[in-house]
Amino acid sequence: MGTKRHFRVWRGDDTGGSLQDFQVEVNEGEVVLDVIHRLQATQTPDLAVRWNCKAGKCGSCSMEINGKPRLGCMTRMSTFADNETVTVTPLRTFPVIRDLVTNVNFNYQKARELPAFAPPKDLEPGEYRMQQVDVERSQEFRKCIECFLCQNVCHVIRDHEENKPAFSGPRFFIRASELDMHPLDTRTDRKELAQAEQGLGYCNITKCCTEVCPEHIKITDNAIIPMKERVVDRRYDPVTWLGRKIFRR
Ligand code: SF4
Ligand code: F3S
Ligand code: FES
């Protein structure tokens, strides 16, 4: 038999909404998403929430829990004090569709704007060969589950709708960085694109993105800062930069 806990859940849609209070049973070992599912099953069947894997791998259940961007399925109830109210709200940076479900189209739009992987034209798929060291270098970025928690927390767009057209956000800085490190990518201007098209210059290295990443990707240290440094490098010494890109292949 579980214990009763106090939950506050944001209910509403794009026209507005408010926090609604619930007393709900919580059992040992449960996560926030379990409790939301119990609310759906017992008290409020029309509560909208997006989820899929319940294993921290699909990136669907992103929400804000006590004001912090988290995955609902990876946030254990045991991390809260017994008498603590748990407040669950939708991601703040994206428009609400209903209750805890937001419209994350912004991110798909930014993904489309990023020029795709461009392998040499004379290589067919299946003929690509990479050194293990190059595979390992970008492996960290491939762990991204597209939960968009990093996008949601970044102050550049969190309360600044006006910056959205010019800023792609940390998830797409790691994608640009991954392609920049890829030995078979023929584009040599990934860093310049990040600066000119993705709004890399807006980032002032607050590292909030890195702090919330459930995959522990070192977004700022391993993608953003090296790209910023190399953009500066190239401005001062283009020959060194070009040499570095060529000899790394
Ligand atoms: Fe989520 Fe991390 Fe990917 Fe950002 S980089 S979308 S926080 S997994
Ligand atoms: Fe935003 Fe991350 Fe930079 S939170 S400001 S992209 S370090
Ligand atoms: Fe898939 Fe939470 S339900 S990450």
Side-chain angles (χ1 to χ4, degrees):
M1 187 63 196
T3 52
K4 287 272 181 194
R5 300 287 294 268
H6 184 201
F7 257 62
R8 306 193 85 191
V9 183
W10 194 89
R11 307 294 312 273
D13 57 25
D14 58 356
T15 62
S18 60
L19 289 167
Q20 206 174 317
D21 290 280
F22 298 96
Q23 292 296 324
V24 55
E25 185 184 321
V26 175
N27 300 305
E28 199 178 338
E30 287 186 334
V31 294
V32 169
L33 187 63
D34 289 320
V35 182
I36 291 171
H37 285 160
R38 181 162 301 113
L39 285 175
Q40 285 180 322
T42 58
Q43 302 185 45
T44 172
D46 63 340
L47 171 62
V49 61
R50 192 184 275 132
W51 69 284
N52 202 321
C53 70
K54 229 181 143 261
K57 286 296 164 214
C58 73
S60 308
C61 65
S62 299
M63 53 185 74
E64 302 204 358
I65 303 172
N66 290 353
K68 294 205 180 85
R70 310 283 301 265
L71 295 179
C73 73
M74 297 303 282
T75 306
R76 291 193 168 277
M77 285 304 299
S78 58
T79 56
F80 305 105
D82 287 347
N83 55 358
E84 192 174 350
T85 298
V86 178
T87 304
V88 188
T89 49
L91 297 180
R92 186 160 109 197
T93 303
F94 309 116
V96 168
I97 297 174
R98 200 158 72 84
D99 302 337
L100 301 176
V101 177
T102 52
N103 179 345
V104 292
N105 266 349
F106 166 82
N107 301 290
Y108 302 124
Q109 182 59 37
K110 294 298 171 182
R112 274 194 294 272
E113 288 170 11
L114 189 67
F117 172 55
K121 289 203 168 28
D122 54 342
L123 282 186
E124 296 294 328
E127 293 175 355
Y128 300 168
R129 295 290 177 269
M130 283 171 77
Q131 299 287 330
Q132 187 60 30
V133 64
D134 289 320
V135 175
E136 278 157 15
R137 196 179 298 148
S138 59
Q139 191 66 27
E140 176 187 16
F141 304 143
R142 303 288 297 184
K143 290 193 304 186
C144 174
I145 58 169
E146 300 221 297
C147 64
F148 305 130
L149 291 178
C150 59
Q151 302 285 91
N152 174 64
V153 82
C154 179
H155 71 97
V156 175
I157 48 173
R158 187 164 168 90
D159 291 309
H160 295 281
E161 197 62 31
E162 71 279 9
N163 287 340
K164 281 187 177 173
F167 187 73
S168 294
R171 191 276 169 261
F172 300 101
F173 295 148
I174 66 170
R175 178 68 180 145
S177 184
E178 181 198 332
L179 289 170
D180 186 47
M181 290 175 182
H182 200 302
L184 294 177
D185 185 51
T186 55
R187 286 200 76 122
T188 54
D189 59 350
R190 296 282 178 193
K191 292 175 281 290
E192 286 66 21
L193 273 177
Q195 193 71 21
E197 310 283 338
Q198 292 185 283
L200 184 65
Y202 281 78
C203 163
N204 55 352
I205 316 187
T206 57
K207 298 198 179 188
C208 309
C209 51
T210 304
E211 277 168 31
V212 299
C213 178
E215 286 294 319
H216 308 293
I217 300 170
K218 294 201 169 60
I219 303 169
T220 325
D221 286 353
N222 291 352
I224 294 176
I225 293 176
M227 280 213 294
K228 277 178 176 281
E229 280 172 357
R230 281 175 281 161
V231 169
V232 173
D233 258 14
R234 192 183 187 190
R235 235 176 253 150
Y236 288 110
D237 189 352
V239 178
T240 311
W241 179 87
L242 203 60
R244 214 181 288 158
K245 178 89 183 169
I246 292 165
F247 291 124
R248 227 180 36 219
R249 289 188 182 169

